[in-house]
Amino acid sequence: MKRILSVTLLVMMLLPALLCLWPAAAAKVPTAEDLNGYENICLTYTFRRSGADNGRHYEKDLLPYTGYLDTEGNVKDFFFDSYLFLPCMDYGPSGARMHLDEGNPTKAIDWTSYVDDTFAKGANVDALEKAFGTTKAALGNTDKKAGVFFTLLYPGKGATNFGTLGGRSLNFSKMEDRKFAVKWMIDEQMARFEQAGYQHLELVGFYWLEEYIAASDDKELLNYAADYLHSLGLKFIWIPWYQANGYQNWQSYGFDVACMQPNLMWIGYNDPARVKNSVALSEKYGLSMEMECDYKVATDEYFARYLNYLDGGLNSSMMNSVKMYYQDGKTAVYYQACYSKDKQFRMVYDLTYKYATKTLKQSDIDAVRPEQTDNGYQIVEDIGRDSLIEDDVDWLSIGKSYTASTSFVDGNGADYQKVDGKELTDGIIASEALSTDWHAYHHSLLDRDGKMSVTIDLGEVRNDLTHFYAHFDNRLEHGIGSPSGITIRVSDDGRVFRALPTPVMIMDATDSCIKLVAEEPITARYVKMTFGVSGGAFVFCSEFLVGVKEGTVVEESKPEESVEAEESGEEEESVSEQSVPAISQAEKPAEEGPGLWLWIILGGAVVVIAAVIAVLAIRKKK
């Protein structure tokens, strides 16, 4: 009996240790039951004041969303069951951007104007009521309602003289005033919705506009908003970008559902693992996955990227979870795809409908997958940051003066905002995210031609230039996109420029660079690089290098004839709905649990212990 007690005691002592090795169960991904039965939320962007009619949606604009239309325009089924109204990344009446910008925070006039526009007569919410009613009539359904989510704008702490809401003058350096403004935003939109007496719509909840947790004390503000919403029986949702600050512990902020952006649509290259990695993180931390596309999806490369989203959702829990859909502002992508005569573009609409209704099959995706195209860039495992400045090249640009688009210095106080005007020619290839070695280009600080640029003055006309390199960051988790439409042009006098061949883009997971090696030596004093932004609001460049290969021989010839500067001919890529970079590095996924071999060993140990106990018990009886 003593032996039995000893063995039993040993098992009890080992049990806590064994349980500690047991992997934590994956968090539950959000489903329709978490949002009152709604699961397909269409992001409906409004308040684009720089566009026609503020970018408002009318009944005809929303019909392809409330109903699934065939190629003849007939309503065949319902489509999206819920709609999130939110502002575009544009500027309000005060001149402030509607998304977080502590250097130029929104004012009361921006908030009241946005709410007024959301409930503009005959548009936006009114238009959804009409469009959903039309769809119900076409399908003979009288009971169904569309879910509606409204937005909470960010009360920036820099707005010490915010203005008046609800009869109260507000100073957002005070937490109580920030809370008051958030409550006003909830109450005002609720009141407008209830006063309208919509028959086909149901208010489900509110959305936190900022796509990362911007400050530590925002937790108190968010918990306050969540508690108030829950007391009203409403939901609180959030859509962080890929690995944005706070995504791992999103529940602690009071959100009912969080949906992470994979951001594949905007990174500089088609990373086949991006959606898969995003899905794995979402399943681990209990988020769902946002579907994303913009107008580029009409091209083969970006259509293939969109198929990666569908593939990732189909082959995981994401297709059966809550799904949110980003597809630009009016006229948005699914609308364009619905009425397109291009069969491939129309498939964006058809496949999305199948995904939303959980009828999508692998054969649907494989049948329309385009052949791999030449994307003009190379993907490598490691870009070799330390070897970018080659030893056998005399880099003439190092230490030279330059002019460039204004560097972004208003924001969260990160090191990249400490500008000395030497970042692009100091010979330092940046190795740390958001360090002082970067020149931070921002989509709000462009040249007159709508581009970002840098022009180096070599100090004299050289006739032996051979190498042209530039190094960029590639971390969309910080809102930093890759440069697009890059051109390099040269000039002898700084007034008339001539274009060089398109450089090669090389990328890895965190860096990108361009390289151009001239077949024949180039003559110039001024070298100018221009580009747009592909994804994010920023482009970070740490160095623009111009050099001469050792041993270069220049043959005597007539001076090269200058021609007028050639523009790239490419429009600047559209900017995704992103905020300024988070200060901290994106958090890495935690280590995975024990492998299969460990469970085999543990299982065997348990069997042996049980057998010993049984044998001892039999002997005792004997």
Side-chain angles (χ1 to χ4, degrees), residues 278-465:
S278 183
V279 166
L281 291 171
S282 290
E283 290 183 329
K284 182 170 185 174
Y285 296 110
L287 300 91
S288 60
M289 179 185 79
E290 183 181 59
M291 296 295 292
E292 300 168 313
C293 64
D294 66 9
Y295 71 95
K296 296 190 297 295
V297 79
T299 66
D300 280 354
E301 177 187 347
Y302 286 88
F303 179 71
R305 293 192 189 200
Y306 192 66
L307 295 183
N308 284 347
Y309 283 84
L310 295 170
D311 215 334
L314 173 65
N315 293 291
S316 69
S317 62
M318 296 295 106
M319 190 169 77
N320 294 315
S321 70
V322 170
K323 299 171 284 293
M324 304 186 194
Y325 303 78
Y326 172 86
Q327 38 105 46
D328 218 338
K330 177 188 174 181
T331 54
V333 174
Y334 298 140
Y335 177 94
Q336 296 176 40
C338 174
Y339 294 112
S340 177
K341 301 301 180 182
D342 182 286
K343 292 182 178 180
Q344 179 171 287
F345 192 21
R346 165 72 195 199
M347 288 305 299
V348 172
Y349 183 74
D350 294 333
L351 293 175
T352 304
Y353 163 75
K354 290 185 176 182
Y355 183 75
T357 55
K358 306 174 187 176
T359 58
L360 184 68
K361 300 177 181 177
Q362 189 67 52
S363 57
D364 296 325
I365 299 173
D366 295 340
V368 296
R369 199 185 302 276
E371 294 182 6
Q372 186 65 34
T373 57
D374 180 8
N375 300 314
Y377 50 73
Q378 300 173 12
I379 307 300
V380 296
E381 187 71 24
D382 184 354
I383 206 168
R385 185 190 299 123
D386 296 335
S387 62
L388 287 179
I389 302 181
E390 300 172 12
D391 294 335
D392 59 351
V393 176
D394 179 11
W395 296 107
L396 305 175
S397 57
I398 295 178
K400 296 298 192 296
S401 63
Y402 63 84
T403 58
S405 305
T406 304
S407 183
F408 183 89
V409 296
D410 296 323
N412 51 32
D415 286 345
Y416 72 85
Q417 296 169 32
K418 301 171 184 176
V419 179
D420 63 9
K422 301 177 182 179
E423 286 82 7
L424 295 175
T425 58
D426 59 7
I428 300 174
I429 301 296
S431 58
E432 296 183 9
L434 310 181
S435 71
T436 58
D437 300 322
W438 300 103
H439 182 100
Y441 291 92
H442 190 261
H443 73 84
S444 67
L445 301 170
L446 305 177
D447 299 341
R448 284 181 297 177
D449 60 358
K451 294 289 185 179
M452 303 171 179
S453 72
V454 52
T455 304
I456 295 176
D457 180 359
L458 297 175
E460 62 178 338
V461 176
R462 301 284 303 220
N463 64 354
D464 55 355
L465 306 179

